Amino acid sequence: MSNKRNGKQTVKMQTPPSIVSSACIVGPKEGEGPLRLYFDEIIEDEMWGEKSWEKAESKLMRETFAKVLKKGGRLPEQINYVIAGDLLNQCIAANFGLRESEVPFLGVFGACSTMAESMSIGAMLIDGGFADDVVCITSSHFCSAEKQFRFPLELGTQRPPTSQWTVTGSGGVLLSNQGTGPYITYVTTGKIVDMGIKDANNMGGAMAPAAVDTILTHFKDTGLSPDFYDLIVTGDLGLVGKDICEEILESEGYDIHERYNDCGLMIYDRKKQDVHAGGSGCACSAAVLAGFILNEVRNGNLNNVLFVATGALLSPTSTQQGESIPSIAHAVSIQRTLSREG
Amino acid sequence: MQNGLLTYINAFLVGGIICSIGQVLIDKTKLTPARILVLFVTSGAILTALGIYQKIVDIGGAGATIPLTGFGYNLAKGAFQDVDKNGILGAFTGGIKAAAAGITAAIFFGYIASVVFTPKAKR
């Protein structure tokens, strides 16, 4: 077994890559939420001057990519890989958004876990000596997601109270083998977990087992315990999923509730904003990470964070065929300094 | 005058009840909005065939004909009338004939709306 593997699903970085810069652009609803001061840019309306939601989403990714580079002091020529994905069929937001980037492109699909998936691959490429600088970026858009997974907005259909609100936005990071942190120290790659839940209006409940599986595996593989982390954050389990995740982990002997939060619950004010069960989408975890969490790590409010983005690997077709919802969660361990290594 | 007021109140109550049923279905079941609408149309047609919906229309007027159950009512009633006039073929032609104005209006005004207005996200 290679000397970088830790246990079943975890890789320990020999030379932890640094997260050199991060950036995110979000939509107006996110811009009215509790994290509004942490986002780089808030667009005025969901079309952003484009002719379709899909084009607007591509623009979000394109502009965020540019911001990530600018804040990291790099030119596109210096980037070895961009690893990107989104929710749209064939990941067109990424394909068209990064069409002119001139950077070697690896498209990935992890649904809402894309941010953690792309960071996992990026970190491994750098630690493996295959790259110096990698950009990991993802996007989602409420209108394009509704059109694809549920109904187009023009139909004016009503959304049930358990549904989640897809975050409109894009978030990205620049990883490099040159830098002074925050560092990516461990990557735990999730397996697909399906508990047979078919209710697309209870994605949180469907994804919680995947989050539990990955978090448990991470602790077992690394020998770390929950109190190593100041924050364990999942992508978009929402209210119901978060409770399930906490409960199951506790029954397995891991009490995380003091340090556990969920990006879907952080990005919106559920009482004031009509988002039903909370936020979701690739940009949910990406924007909260790129905007808020990394900011808190940089200024020392947080030292060690376990970022666990969760994804529901379904499609409109599988739902129509009566299939359940297979889910996945990827964990990325982020540390401000390398002194307190596990 | 009293009769006029009662008509409005009945329309309000009947229409409200039908829509409340829709709300309960959205909140308490896993039916998608599209399935609920289809359920409304087919229920309207079936209740008309059973002779029940006509009674609801007599009480509620527009409160019964405007919601989508009323469209099912229209289709079923049209089919019956055409069968009476033209025999069994009327089962195929009657429904669409009766609903022709409504369907065409929906397409026409829907088109105009999509050309004139730009979609915006809800807040």
mmCIF file of all heavy atoms in Angstrom, chain A residues 91-127:
data_model
loop_
_atom_site.group_PDB
_atom_site.id
_atom_site.type_symbol
_atom_site.label_atom_id
_atom_site.label_comp_id
_atom_site.label_asym_id
_atom_site.label_seq_id
_atom_site.Cartn_x
_atom_site.Cartn_y
_atom_site.Cartn_z
ATOM 1 N N CYS A 91 -22.733 19.260 -17.353
ATOM 2 C CA CYS A 91 -21.931 20.293 -16.699
ATOM 3 C C CYS A 91 -21.635 21.484 -17.610
ATOM 4 O O CYS A 91 -20.510 21.973 -17.676
ATOM 5 C CB CYS A 91 -20.609 19.724 -16.180
ATOM 6 S SG CYS A 91 -20.849 18.614 -14.781
ATOM 7 N N ILE A 92 -22.657 21.964 -18.306
ATOM 8 C CA ILE A 92 -22.390 23.032 -19.273
ATOM 9 C C ILE A 92 -22.035 24.360 -18.620
ATOM 10 O O ILE A 92 -21.388 25.200 -19.246
ATOM 11 C CB ILE A 92 -23.560 23.244 -20.264
ATOM 12 C CG1 ILE A 92 -24.884 23.461 -19.529
ATOM 13 C CG2 ILE A 92 -23.640 22.100 -21.236
ATOM 14 C CD1 ILE A 92 -25.969 23.981 -20.467
ATOM 15 N N ALA A 93 -22.441 24.572 -17.385
ATOM 16 C CA ALA A 93 -22.062 25.846 -16.767
ATOM 17 C C ALA A 93 -20.539 25.935 -16.722
ATOM 18 O O ALA A 93 -19.950 26.973 -17.044
ATOM 19 C CB ALA A 93 -22.654 25.970 -15.370
ATOM 20 N N ALA A 94 -19.909 24.832 -16.338
ATOM 21 C CA ALA A 94 -18.443 24.808 -16.271
ATOM 22 C C ALA A 94 -17.832 24.812 -17.670
ATOM 23 O O ALA A 94 -16.896 25.575 -17.953
ATOM 24 C CB ALA A 94 -17.972 23.584 -15.492
ATOM 25 N N ASN A 95 -18.365 23.966 -18.553
ATOM 26 C CA ASN A 95 -17.790 23.857 -19.899
ATOM 27 C C ASN A 95 -17.776 25.199 -20.613
ATOM 28 O O ASN A 95 -16.783 25.609 -21.203
ATOM 29 C CB ASN A 95 -18.593 22.867 -20.757
ATOM 30 C CG ASN A 95 -18.639 21.485 -20.146
ATOM 31 O OD1 ASN A 95 -17.829 21.162 -19.276
ATOM 32 N ND2 ASN A 95 -19.589 20.673 -20.581
ATOM 33 N N PHE A 96 -18.927 25.895 -20.570
ATOM 34 C CA PHE A 96 -19.014 27.168 -21.271
ATOM 35 C C PHE A 96 -18.397 28.296 -20.450
ATOM 36 O O PHE A 96 -17.839 29.243 -20.995
ATOM 37 C CB PHE A 96 -20.479 27.486 -21.619
ATOM 38 C CG PHE A 96 -20.997 26.664 -22.759
ATOM 39 C CD1 PHE A 96 -21.413 25.364 -22.549
ATOM 40 C CD2 PHE A 96 -21.038 27.183 -24.044
ATOM 41 C CE1 PHE A 96 -21.872 24.581 -23.607
ATOM 42 C CE2 PHE A 96 -21.501 26.408 -25.112
ATOM 43 C CZ PHE A 96 -21.907 25.108 -24.878
ATOM 44 N N GLY A 97 -18.493 28.185 -19.136
ATOM 45 C CA GLY A 97 -17.915 29.228 -18.287
ATOM 46 C C GLY A 97 -16.407 29.300 -18.425
ATOM 47 O O GLY A 97 -15.816 30.374 -18.384
ATOM 48 N N LEU A 98 -15.770 28.134 -18.581
ATOM 49 C CA LEU A 98 -14.309 28.107 -18.648
ATOM 50 C C LEU A 98 -13.803 27.862 -20.069
ATOM 51 O O LEU A 98 -12.643 27.524 -20.284
ATOM 52 C CB LEU A 98 -13.787 27.027 -17.696
ATOM 53 C CG LEU A 98 -14.158 27.291 -16.230
ATOM 54 C CD1 LEU A 98 -13.838 26.092 -15.365
ATOM 55 C CD2 LEU A 98 -13.420 28.509 -15.710
ATOM 56 N N ARG A 99 -14.716 28.050 -21.026
ATOM 57 C CA ARG A 99 -14.383 27.782 -22.426
ATOM 58 C C ARG A 99 -13.157 28.552 -22.896
ATOM 59 O O ARG A 99 -12.311 28.026 -23.616
ATOM 60 C CB ARG A 99 -15.599 28.147 -23.274
ATOM 61 C CG ARG A 99 -15.401 28.016 -24.767
ATOM 62 C CD ARG A 99 -16.703 28.110 -25.550
ATOM 63 N NE ARG A 99 -17.563 29.214 -25.178
ATOM 64 C CZ ARG A 99 -18.719 29.475 -25.793
ATOM 65 N NH1 ARG A 99 -19.117 28.720 -26.796
ATOM 66 N NH2 ARG A 99 -19.471 30.497 -25.412
ATOM 67 N N GLU A 100 -13.051 29.811 -22.487
ATOM 68 C CA GLU A 100 -11.943 30.644 -22.967
ATOM 69 C C GLU A 100 -10.774 30.696 -21.994
ATOM 70 O O GLU A 100 -9.871 31.502 -22.164
ATOM 71 C CB GLU A 100 -12.448 32.086 -23.203
ATOM 72 C CG GLU A 100 -13.279 32.272 -24.468
ATOM 73 C CD GLU A 100 -14.768 32.061 -24.205
ATOM 74 O OE1 GLU A 100 -15.181 32.128 -23.033
ATOM 75 O OE2 GLU A 100 -15.513 31.830 -25.167
ATOM 76 N N SER A 101 -10.799 29.833 -20.986
ATOM 77 C CA SER A 101 -9.799 29.962 -19.930
ATOM 78 C C SER A 101 -8.400 29.563 -20.368
ATOM 79 O O SER A 101 -7.412 30.049 -19.811
ATOM 80 C CB SER A 101 -10.196 29.112 -18.722
ATOM 81 O OG SER A 101 -10.141 27.738 -19.080
ATOM 82 N N GLU A 102 -8.295 28.687 -21.358
ATOM 83 C CA GLU A 102 -6.992 28.206 -21.836
ATOM 84 C C GLU A 102 -6.237 27.445 -20.745
ATOM 85 O O GLU A 102 -4.998 27.425 -20.729
ATOM 86 C CB GLU A 102 -6.116 29.374 -22.321
ATOM 87 C CG GLU A 102 -6.687 30.169 -23.482
ATOM 88 C CD GLU A 102 -6.532 29.474 -24.820
ATOM 89 O OE1 GLU A 102 -5.418 28.998 -25.123
ATOM 90 O OE2 GLU A 102 -7.527 29.391 -25.556
ATOM 91 N N VAL A 103 -6.982 26.847 -19.822
ATOM 92 C CA VAL A 103 -6.336 26.075 -18.763
ATOM 93 C C VAL A 103 -6.745 24.608 -18.929
ATOM 94 O O VAL A 103 -7.909 24.329 -19.205
ATOM 95 C CB VAL A 103 -6.802 26.581 -17.367
ATOM 96 C CG1 VAL A 103 -6.221 25.724 -16.262
ATOM 97 C CG2 VAL A 103 -6.423 28.042 -17.182
ATOM 98 N N PRO A 104 -5.807 23.652 -18.756
ATOM 99 C CA PRO A 104 -6.193 22.239 -18.857
ATOM 100 C C PRO A 104 -7.347 21.936 -17.903
ATOM 101 O O PRO A 104 -7.292 22.257 -16.719
ATOM 102 C CB PRO A 104 -4.907 21.507 -18.440
ATOM 103 C CG PRO A 104 -3.812 22.436 -18.821
ATOM 104 C CD PRO A 104 -4.361 23.822 -18.598
ATOM 105 N N PHE A 105 -8.406 21.333 -18.455
ATOM 106 C CA PHE A 105 -9.693 21.287 -17.783
ATOM 107 C C PHE A 105 -10.083 19.857 -17.421
ATOM 108 O O PHE A 105 -10.070 18.962 -18.272
ATOM 109 C CB PHE A 105 -10.720 21.897 -18.734
ATOM 110 C CG PHE A 105 -12.148 21.826 -18.264
ATOM 111 C CD1 PHE A 105 -12.642 22.751 -17.371
ATOM 112 C CD2 PHE A 105 -13.001 20.843 -18.747
ATOM 113 C CE1 PHE A 105 -13.965 22.705 -16.952
ATOM 114 C CE2 PHE A 105 -14.327 20.787 -18.340
ATOM 115 C CZ PHE A 105 -14.807 21.720 -17.446
ATOM 116 N N LEU A 106 -10.425 19.677 -16.144
ATOM 117 C CA LEU A 106 -10.953 18.383 -15.717
ATOM 118 C C LEU A 106 -12.356 18.617 -15.186
ATOM 119 O O LEU A 106 -12.537 19.234 -14.139
ATOM 120 C CB LEU A 106 -10.070 17.784 -14.604
ATOM 121 C CG LEU A 106 -8.676 17.310 -15.015
ATOM 122 C CD1 LEU A 106 -7.840 16.989 -13.790
ATOM 123 C CD2 LEU A 106 -8.767 16.086 -15.909
ATOM 124 N N GLY A 107 -13.348 18.148 -15.947
ATOM 125 C CA GLY A 107 -14.720 18.331 -15.502
ATOM 126 C C GLY A 107 -15.119 17.201 -14.566
ATOM 127 O O GLY A 107 -14.791 16.041 -14.811
ATOM 128 N N VAL A 108 -15.787 17.557 -13.473
ATOM 129 C CA VAL A 108 -16.223 16.533 -12.527
ATOM 130 C C VAL A 108 -17.693 16.724 -12.203
ATOM 131 O O VAL A 108 -18.206 17.838 -12.230
ATOM 132 C CB VAL A 108 -15.422 16.568 -11.194
ATOM 133 C CG1 VAL A 108 -13.996 16.140 -11.410
ATOM 134 C CG2 VAL A 108 -15.491 17.928 -10.533
ATOM 135 N N PHE A 109 -18.355 15.601 -11.901
ATOM 136 C CA PHE A 109 -19.717 15.720 -11.421
ATOM 137 C C PHE A 109 -19.819 15.078 -10.042
ATOM 138 O O PHE A 109 -19.651 13.875 -9.914
ATOM 139 C CB PHE A 109 -20.739 15.068 -12.365
ATOM 140 C CG PHE A 109 -22.146 15.247 -11.871
ATOM 141 C CD1 PHE A 109 -22.791 16.463 -12.010
ATOM 142 C CD2 PHE A 109 -22.790 14.230 -11.178
ATOM 143 C CE1 PHE A 109 -24.069 16.659 -11.507
ATOM 144 C CE2 PHE A 109 -24.077 14.416 -10.670
ATOM 145 C CZ PHE A 109 -24.715 15.631 -10.841
ATOM 146 N N GLY A 110 -20.145 15.890 -9.049
ATOM 147 C CA GLY A 110 -20.359 15.334 -7.714
ATOM 148 C C GLY A 110 -21.629 15.897 -7.125
ATOM 149 O O GLY A 110 -21.815 15.883 -5.913
ATOM 150 N N ALA A 111 -22.463 16.423 -7.971
ATOM 151 C CA ALA A 111 -23.657 17.148 -7.520
ATOM 152 C C ALA A 111 -23.206 18.196 -6.498
ATOM 153 O O ALA A 111 -22.230 18.893 -6.712
ATOM 154 C CB ALA A 111 -24.697 16.203 -6.947
ATOM 155 N N CYS A 112 -23.862 18.269 -5.354
ATOM 156 C CA CYS A 112 -23.521 19.331 -4.412
ATOM 157 C C CYS A 112 -22.236 19.057 -3.649
ATOM 158 O O CYS A 112 -21.819 19.878 -2.832
ATOM 159 C CB CYS A 112 -24.676 19.555 -3.439
ATOM 160 S SG CYS A 112 -26.236 19.773 -4.290
ATOM 161 N N SER A 113 -21.591 17.915 -3.913
ATOM 162 C CA SER A 113 -20.321 17.634 -3.238
ATOM 163 C C SER A 113 -19.141 18.074 -4.098
ATOM 164 O O SER A 113 -17.986 17.856 -3.740
ATOM 165 C CB SER A 113 -20.193 16.133 -2.938
ATOM 166 O OG SER A 113 -19.950 15.418 -4.138
ATOM 167 N N THR A 114 -19.434 18.708 -5.234
ATOM 168 C CA THR A 114 -18.392 19.038 -6.213
ATOM 169 C C THR A 114 -17.232 19.828 -5.624
ATOM 170 O O THR A 114 -16.074 19.588 -5.982
ATOM 171 C CB THR A 114 -18.988 19.818 -7.403
ATOM 172 O OG1 THR A 114 -20.001 19.025 -8.024
ATOM 173 C CG2 THR A 114 -17.932 20.131 -8.448
ATOM 174 N N MET A 115 -17.513 20.780 -4.726
ATOM 175 C CA MET A 115 -16.410 21.596 -4.199
ATOM 176 C C MET A 115 -15.398 20.715 -3.490
ATOM 177 O O MET A 115 -14.194 20.818 -3.711
ATOM 178 C CB MET A 115 -16.954 22.654 -3.224
ATOM 179 C CG MET A 115 -15.938 23.723 -2.890
ATOM 180 S SD MET A 115 -15.499 24.655 -4.361
ATOM 181 C CE MET A 115 -13.902 25.298 -3.909
ATOM 182 N N ALA A 116 -15.872 19.824 -2.622
ATOM 183 C CA ALA A 116 -14.954 18.947 -1.899
ATOM 184 C C ALA A 116 -14.294 17.953 -2.847
ATOM 185 O O ALA A 116 -13.119 17.617 -2.699
ATOM 186 C CB ALA A 116 -15.694 18.214 -0.789
ATOM 187 N N GLU A 117 -15.043 17.473 -3.827
ATOM 188 C CA GLU A 117 -14.466 16.520 -4.777
ATOM 189 C C GLU A 117 -13.331 17.162 -5.565
ATOM 190 O O GLU A 117 -12.249 16.599 -5.717
ATOM 191 C CB GLU A 117 -15.547 16.011 -5.747
ATOM 192 C CG GLU A 117 -14.986 15.051 -6.787
ATOM 193 C CD GLU A 117 -16.042 14.500 -7.741
ATOM 194 O OE1 GLU A 117 -17.248 14.711 -7.489
ATOM 195 O OE2 GLU A 117 -15.656 13.869 -8.729
ATOM 196 N N SER A 118 -13.586 18.379 -6.077
ATOM 197 C CA SER A 118 -12.555 19.032 -6.882
ATOM 198 C C SER A 118 -11.345 19.380 -6.021
ATOM 199 O O SER A 118 -10.201 19.220 -6.459
ATOM 200 C CB SER A 118 -13.099 20.273 -7.596
ATOM 201 O OG SER A 118 -13.635 21.188 -6.674
ATOM 202 N N MET A 119 -11.572 19.813 -4.775
ATOM 203 C CA MET A 119 -10.444 20.115 -3.897
ATOM 204 C C MET A 119 -9.664 18.858 -3.552
ATOM 205 O O MET A 119 -8.433 18.887 -3.422
ATOM 206 C CB MET A 119 -10.932 20.795 -2.613
ATOM 207 C CG MET A 119 -11.318 22.246 -2.837
ATOM 208 S SD MET A 119 -12.100 23.014 -1.423
ATOM 209 C CE MET A 119 -10.723 23.236 -0.333
ATOM 210 N N SER A 120 -10.369 17.746 -3.399
ATOM 211 C CA SER A 120 -9.690 16.477 -3.107
ATOM 212 C C SER A 120 -8.734 16.116 -4.236
ATOM 213 O O SER A 120 -7.566 15.792 -4.004
ATOM 214 C CB SER A 120 -10.712 15.342 -2.946
ATOM 215 O OG SER A 120 -11.638 15.631 -1.930
ATOM 216 N N ILE A 121 -9.271 16.166 -5.460
ATOM 217 C CA ILE A 121 -8.442 15.799 -6.622
ATOM 218 C C ILE A 121 -7.300 16.794 -6.783
ATOM 219 O O ILE A 121 -6.148 16.421 -7.024
ATOM 220 C CB ILE A 121 -9.307 15.761 -7.904
ATOM 221 C CG1 ILE A 121 -10.407 14.705 -7.755
ATOM 222 C CG2 ILE A 121 -8.447 15.461 -9.118
ATOM 223 C CD1 ILE A 121 -11.433 14.729 -8.866
ATOM 224 N N GLY A 122 -7.591 18.084 -6.636
ATOM 225 C CA GLY A 122 -6.569 19.111 -6.773
ATOM 226 C C GLY A 122 -5.441 18.931 -5.774
ATOM 227 O O GLY A 122 -4.257 19.018 -6.120
ATOM 228 N N ALA A 123 -5.812 18.657 -4.520
ATOM 229 C CA ALA A 123 -4.796 18.479 -3.482
ATOM 230 C C ALA A 123 -3.913 17.275 -3.802
ATOM 231 O O ALA A 123 -2.684 17.318 -3.646
ATOM 232 C CB ALA A 123 -5.461 18.310 -2.120
ATOM 233 N N MET A 124 -4.550 16.200 -4.264
ATOM 234 C CA MET A 124 -3.772 14.994 -4.576
ATOM 235 C C MET A 124 -2.858 15.202 -5.781
ATOM 236 O O MET A 124 -1.724 14.708 -5.806
ATOM 237 C CB MET A 124 -4.717 13.807 -4.797
ATOM 238 C CG MET A 124 -5.342 13.323 -3.496
ATOM 239 S SD MET A 124 -6.136 11.720 -3.615
ATOM 240 C CE MET A 124 -7.742 12.171 -4.213
ATOM 241 N N LEU A 125 -3.316 15.965 -6.767
ATOM 242 C CA LEU A 125 -2.477 16.249 -7.929
ATOM 243 C C LEU A 125 -1.224 17.011 -7.507
ATOM 244 O O LEU A 125 -0.116 16.752 -7.995
ATOM 245 C CB LEU A 125 -3.245 17.079 -8.971
ATOM 246 C CG LEU A 125 -4.251 16.336 -9.852
ATOM 247 C CD1 LEU A 125 -5.025 17.326 -10.718
ATOM 248 C CD2 LEU A 125 -3.551 15.323 -10.736
ATOM 249 N N ILE A 126 -1.413 17.960 -6.571
ATOM 250 C CA ILE A 126 -0.272 18.769 -6.139
ATOM 251 C C ILE A 126 0.652 17.948 -5.244
ATOM 252 O O ILE A 126 1.870 17.903 -5.464
ATOM 253 C CB ILE A 126 -0.759 20.034 -5.394
ATOM 254 C CG1 ILE A 126 -1.485 20.956 -6.374
ATOM 255 C CG2 ILE A 126 0.425 20.764 -4.758
ATOM 256 C CD1 ILE A 126 -2.077 22.195 -5.750
ATOM 257 N N ASP A 127 0.085 17.255 -4.259
ATOM 258 C CA ASP A 127 0.928 16.480 -3.347
ATOM 259 C C ASP A 127 1.615 15.334 -4.079
ATOM 260 O O ASP A 127 2.678 14.881 -3.682
ATOM 261 C CB ASP A 127 0.079 15.937 -2.191
ATOM 262 C CG ASP A 127 0.938 15.446 -1.048
ATOM 263 O OD1 ASP A 127 1.793 16.215 -0.565
ATOM 264 O OD2 ASP A 127 0.778 14.273 -0.645
#
